[in-house]
């Protein structure tokens, strides 16, 4: 099968919703030898991708009858949720693990990876977003309950946003009404990096947007991912109905 740096799910759908999953896969492309020199255990960790996020993305897209775009390369290959000049675009050390294949990656190799993986993903994302004038972008991510040698994170879900809170504010209200959820605003980390995917495809175009972070131990199974997709869809619809554009 020919390698492709992204997948599009439901491309024929005409919905204004567009679901994105920047860290969908832990794939290392064939032209990198299929490995970054890390153990299988490390490649299954959150350092390589967002576990469970791809399944939630597809389930949410199905529930909203919306298209979704999912990356098909590990964030350790090159991070699609970073701007091209971000110093963390190509990581050499992450949460205690050295990435052997990145230790000596030079500017030419970074440019090659941008052209092979990062730029095609973003070109496809922008093409999908530009199909309508009223596109709403929902980015799906997951986070680990605890980083090495760091405190446990209490949130079940975090909603990340920058200056544009039009969709995130009512979505947080919807989530906080759920008695079983601990909800964070810009947790477990701040919601904006200059040049990141939301900045590039939503903020710079005035598109409604939000970024959903789910704790990855809550979405380990196909059933849990499907359940979260089905659960989030009506809350997103309710939040959108409350926005002023």
């Amino acid at each position: 099968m020919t390698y492709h740096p992204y997948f599009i799910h439901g491309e024929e759908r005409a919905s204004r919703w567009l679901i994105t999953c920047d860290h969908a896969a832990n794939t290392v492309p064939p032209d990198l030898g299929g490995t970054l020199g890390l153990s299988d255990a490390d490649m299954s960790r959150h350092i390589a991708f967002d576990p469970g996020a791809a399944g939630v993305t597809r389930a949410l897209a199905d529930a909203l009858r919306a298209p979704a775009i999912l990356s098909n390369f590990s964030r350790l290959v090159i991070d699609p949720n970073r701007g091209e000049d971000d110093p963390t675009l190509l990581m050499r050390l992450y949460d205690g693990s050295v990435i052997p294949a990145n230790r000596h990656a030079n500017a030419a190799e970074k440019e090659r990876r941008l052209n092979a993986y990062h730029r095609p993903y973003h070109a496809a994302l922008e093409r999908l977003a530009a199909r309508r004038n009223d596109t709403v972008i929902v980015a799906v991510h997951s986070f680990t309950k605890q980083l090495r040698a760091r405190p446990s994170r209490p949130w079940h879900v975090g909603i990340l946003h920058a200056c544009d809170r039009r969709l995130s504010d009512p979505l947080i209200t919807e989530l906080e009404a759920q008695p079983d959820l601990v909800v964070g605003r810009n947790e477990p980390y701040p919601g904006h990096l200059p040049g990141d995917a939301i900045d590039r495809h939503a903020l710079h175009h005035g598109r409604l947007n939000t970024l959903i972070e789910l704790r990855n131990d809550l979405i380990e199974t196909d059933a849990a991912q499907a359940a979260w997709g089905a659960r989030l869809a009506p809350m997103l619809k309710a939040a959108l109905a409350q926005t002023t554009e």
Side-chain angles (χ1 to χ4, degrees):
M1 181 181 294
T2 303
Y3 171 78
H4 205 62
Y6 59 86
F7 297 109
I8 298 176
H9 178 76
E11 183 168 8
E12 74 285 354
R13 297 169 180 169
S15 169
R16 68 181 298 195
W17 297 99
L18 173 59
I19 318 302
T20 69
C21 192
D22 300 322
H23 299 146
N26 59 359
T27 305
V28 179
D31 60 2
L32 282 171
T35 176
L36 296 172
L38 288 168
S39 67
D40 290 345
D42 266 337
M43 288 303 295
S44 67
R45 295 175 61 214
H46 69 98
I47 65 170
F49 73 127
D50 283 357
V56 175
T57 296
R58 293 188 184 94
L60 179 58
D62 289 345
L64 293 172
R65 297 298 301 160
I69 182 167
L70 304 93
S71 68
N72 187 31
F73 52 94
S74 170
R75 66 193 300 169
L76 297 180
V77 169
I78 195 160
D79 195 330
N81 195 34
R82 297 292 184 272
E84 293 192 9
D85 59 352
D86 192 299
T88 64
L89 178 70
L90 201 160
M91 294 289 282
R92 291 169 169 80
L93 173 70
Y94 193 1
D95 195 22
S97 293
V98 174
I99 297 89
N102 292 353
R103 289 182 68 181
H104 304 296
N106 58 19
E109 174 60 12
K110 183 174 81 169
E111 184 68 13
R112 190 194 71 79
R113 295 188 197 184
L114 282 167
N115 284 328
Y117 322 122
H118 191 281
R119 288 170 182 154
Y121 171 76
H122 282 284
L125 199 167
E126 181 54 35
R127 177 178 61 79
L128 289 170
R131 295 191 305 176
R132 295 181 57 135
N133 293 326
D134 60 351
T135 295
V136 182
I137 296 178
V138 179
V140 177
H141 291 255
S142 71
F143 65 95
T144 189
K145 186 173 182 178
Q146 187 170 16
L147 295 169
R148 288 177 174 173
R150 301 290 294 274
S152 180
R153 293 161 161 173
W155 310 282
H156 300 107
V157 57
I159 300 301
L160 277 55
H161 61 79
C163 53
D164 183 355
R165 299 163 49 165
R166 291 174 294 169
L167 184 60
S168 295
D169 278 352
L171 179 57
I172 289 171
T173 298
E174 293 291 324
L175 287 162
E176 287 180 336
Q178 307 292 307
D180 61 324
L181 296 182
V182 178
V183 182
R185 179 189 293 273
N186 284 333
E187 298 287 0
Y189 19 72
H192 178 244
L193 290 170
D196 68 12
I198 286 291
D199 186 38
R200 180 171 177 173
H201 298 288
L203 300 181
H204 282 198
H205 299 272
R207 294 172 178 139
L208 287 167
N209 68 91
T210 194
L211 190 154
I212 300 172
E213 287 273 3
L214 292 166
R215 208 174 70 202
N216 62 28
D217 62 310
L218 304 177
I219 51 173
E220 291 178 336
T221 66
D222 291 348
Q225 293 157 23
W228 269 100
R231 184 177 189 180
L232 288 167
M235 288 189 275
L236 281 161
K237 290 178 181 178
L240 181 60
Q242 298 173 55
T243 63
T244 55
E245 300 186 46

